[in-house]
Amino acid sequence: PITPSSTMGEWVDEWASQHKKNIWGKEVKVAEMQSEAGAAGAVHGSLAAGALTSTYTASQGLLLMIPVMHKAAGEMLPHVIHVSARALAAQSLAIFGDHTDVMACRNTGYAMLAANSVQEEMDLALVAHLATYKAKVPFLQFFDGFRTSHEIQKIEVLDYDDLAKLVDYEAVAEFRKRGLNPNNPIVKGTAQNPDIFFQAREAVNPYYGDNILDAVDEYMAEISKLTGRTYLPFNYYGAEDAEEVVIAMGSVCEALEEVVDYLNAQGKKVGLLKVRLYRPFSAKHFMAVMPESVKRICVLDRTKEPGALGEPLYEDVRNLYYDMEKRPMIIGGRYGLGSKDVTPAQLIAVYENLAAAEPKRDFTIGINDDVTFKSLPVGAPVVTNESSTISCKFWGYGSDGTVGANKDAIKIIGDNTDMYAQGYFSYDSKKSGGVTISHLRFGKDKIRSTYLIDQADYIACHKPSYIEQYEVLEGLKPNGTF
């Protein structure tokens, strides 16, 4: 697999080498191919034989899989590809996170399911694996590269025994029965001429309606029952009578929840609509949770589609409201490309822009666009997270042990106290020899801060020369410790 999805493959490989069993009581066969294109081909072949198969990828690696994805979806081979969503190389290489890669797969025929946090990734990965066999459609299950894939969080783990009860064994048996078998020959992989190709292509339509939606609904309800965490194809958070609502998917939704609480505590009426099931995009489920009071909507996309009238999620939402008589004003903006940090102050600026007499459309946050002037003005940093949370920031030198020590520290706090704990490590692609900044949070309340620490209770500097080179004290709270 390709960075930042490598860790998933590495863990599965390690577990397989330790002879760990899956919920079927079987050891998992792990195959590492010469490229992502080869991995996709191996997945296709394994599925065609009736074996339950999965893979992991991101970025250019995912793009190398696209030709096979069209085939696997067209042949209705249920499986899950897990993607730690990452930027695609454009004017330069970027190994960091955004949604450019997954957005390039919208027409492959895969259902697309997004998770916003480390805990949600566990829960929704399960939904994808359970639903794919019932729906007979493959799933691309994604989450933010680095911000979620490399964040250390304390989570609740589900037991194999509980999972085994949720599997639709008949659907799995039916999939296995369709596997290639010399004793039961079938014809597949033919070429079709214009006389029938179009008709056959349209024959999949029923499967992209209630088939997927019913399967996802059912398993989201089951996982919600098991965990107490409510999952729907779209989840709404905020004031029931909100007039201004932001729509987004991925890790930014966690920070947006903090901002919604912060603004509503000041007497505002704002909300957030979180997109879980992005494909198929269900108008019915969307409208079921969107407050009827909404007058203005802002859609945030973590990708850029040069030359388009708007980014993909924005276009979907606009299309959904297109022929409605009473439709809200809808604007769109971009954020977080190449893992650009998204702070509460920037998200507050999004809500302020949405409430303005003449809101800025097609805007950006997180950068200062002094070329095309699309950036929103951003106010001073604010603290929106829970007051019990302690925030610590460590400046280190790549390979000096700071990152490793902090990973140990956050795991010790998580494993040996009843506190929530979060660790995130910021460094560039040079890694060894470069600047590293470790961001640790812990406290009694759930941690939803999916952004770098800019208001710290504690700052440490492990390389004295940094004091002359960088603003190491920036963001230290009053009475904080350096």
Side-chain angles (χ1 to χ4, degrees), residues 296-332:
R296 296 181 170 208
I297 288 174
C298 175
V299 185
L300 292 178
D301 274 273
R302 197 165 200 164
T303 188
K304 181 169 177 63
E305 208 156 291
L309 289 172
E311 270 59 54
L313 184 55
Y314 166 71
E315 286 292 321
D316 285 329
V317 173
R318 209 166 61 150
N319 193 29
L320 186 135
Y321 278 102
Y322 176 72
D323 57 358
M324 290 189 188
E325 271 183 47
K326 186 191 165 194
R327 63 175 182 263
M329 182 189 74
I330 303 169
I331 63 172

Side-chain angles (χ1 to χ4, degrees), residues 45 82 125 136 148 169 324 417 430:
H82 296 280
K136 299 183 176 63
T148 304
Y169 291 93
M324 290 189 188
T417 74
K430 291 194 293 292

Side-chain angles (χ1 to χ4, degrees), residues 207-467:
Y207 291 93
Y208 288 87
D210 290 341
N211 258 42
I212 295 177
L213 297 173
D214 289 350
V216 170
D217 267 343
E218 178 186 332
Y219 286 116
M220 280 185 163
E222 291 291 346
I223 296 296
S224 298
K225 224 184 290 174
L226 269 180
T227 64
R229 293 180 284 275
T230 305
Y231 292 112
L232 298 166
F234 299 91
N235 278 92
Y236 177 76
Y237 186 89
E240 288 179 18
D241 54 351
E243 296 185 353
E244 286 127 28
V245 174
V246 168
I247 298 175
M249 63 182 166
S251 60
V252 74
C253 291
E254 295 283 288
L256 276 163
E257 282 190 18
E258 282 187 8
V259 168
V260 165
D261 288 345
Y262 176 83
L263 292 175
N264 287 342
Q266 296 177 348
K268 302 269 173 46
K269 290 182 179 177
V270 300
L272 160 68
L273 191 134
K274 300 183 277 190
V275 179
R276 307 270 190 214
L277 187 66
Y278 177 58
R279 285 288 181 272
F281 199 91
S282 170
K284 178 179 74 175
H285 288 82
F286 181 101
M287 289 303 181
V289 298
M290 176 63 84
E292 290 181 17
S293 53
V294 66
K295 291 179 180 170
R296 296 181 170 208
I297 288 174
C298 175
V299 185
L300 292 178
D301 274 273
R302 197 165 200 164
T303 188
K304 181 169 177 63
E305 208 156 291
L309 289 172
E311 270 59 54
L313 184 55
Y314 166 71
E315 286 292 321
D316 285 329
V317 173
R318 209 166 61 150
N319 193 29
L320 186 135
Y321 278 102
Y322 176 72
D323 57 358
M324 290 189 188
E325 271 183 47
K326 186 191 165 194
R327 63 175 182 263
M329 182 189 74
I330 303 169
I331 63 172
R334 290 178 298 286
Y335 74 97
L337 267 62
S339 276
K340 193 74 175 186
D341 197 36
V342 192
T343 66
Q346 293 162 17
L347 297 173
I348 288 169
V350 170
Y351 281 103
E352 287 174 346
N353 177 60
L354 188 55
E358 290 290 327
K360 191 168 197 164
R361 296 166 179 271
D362 186 33
F363 62 81
T364 58
I365 54 169
I367 59 170
N368 176 23
D369 177 2
D370 56 358
V371 177
T372 54
F373 307 103
K374 291 181 179 290
S375 308
L376 294 183
V378 177
V382 292
V383 177
T384 56
N385 61 9
E386 284 71 13
S387 57
S388 75
T389 302
I390 305 295
S391 302
C392 309
K393 196 166 154 185
F394 299 78
W395 290 75
Y397 178 75
S399 77
D400 72 354
T402 297
V403 169
N406 279 299
K407 284 184 177 178
D408 287 343
I410 207 68
K411 287 174 183 175
I412 289 167
I413 294 168
D415 288 341
N416 297 284
T417 74
D418 60 357
M419 288 191 279
Y420 288 91
Q422 178 201 56
Y424 187 75
F425 308 92
S426 170
Y427 41 79
D428 65 19
S429 48
K430 291 194 293 292
K431 298 175 186 172
S432 183
V435 178
T436 69
I437 308 176
S438 302
H439 300 260
L440 269 58
R441 292 183 177 99
F442 52 91
K444 298 273 186 232
D445 296 294
K446 184 187 170 193
I447 297 168
R448 301 175 293 179
S449 308
T450 47
Y451 48 89
L452 303 177
I453 292 170
D454 59 3
Q455 300 288 293
D457 297 281
Y458 177 97
I459 295 178
C461 178
H462 294 179
K463 190 171 170 65
S465 63
Y466 285 175
I467 293 171

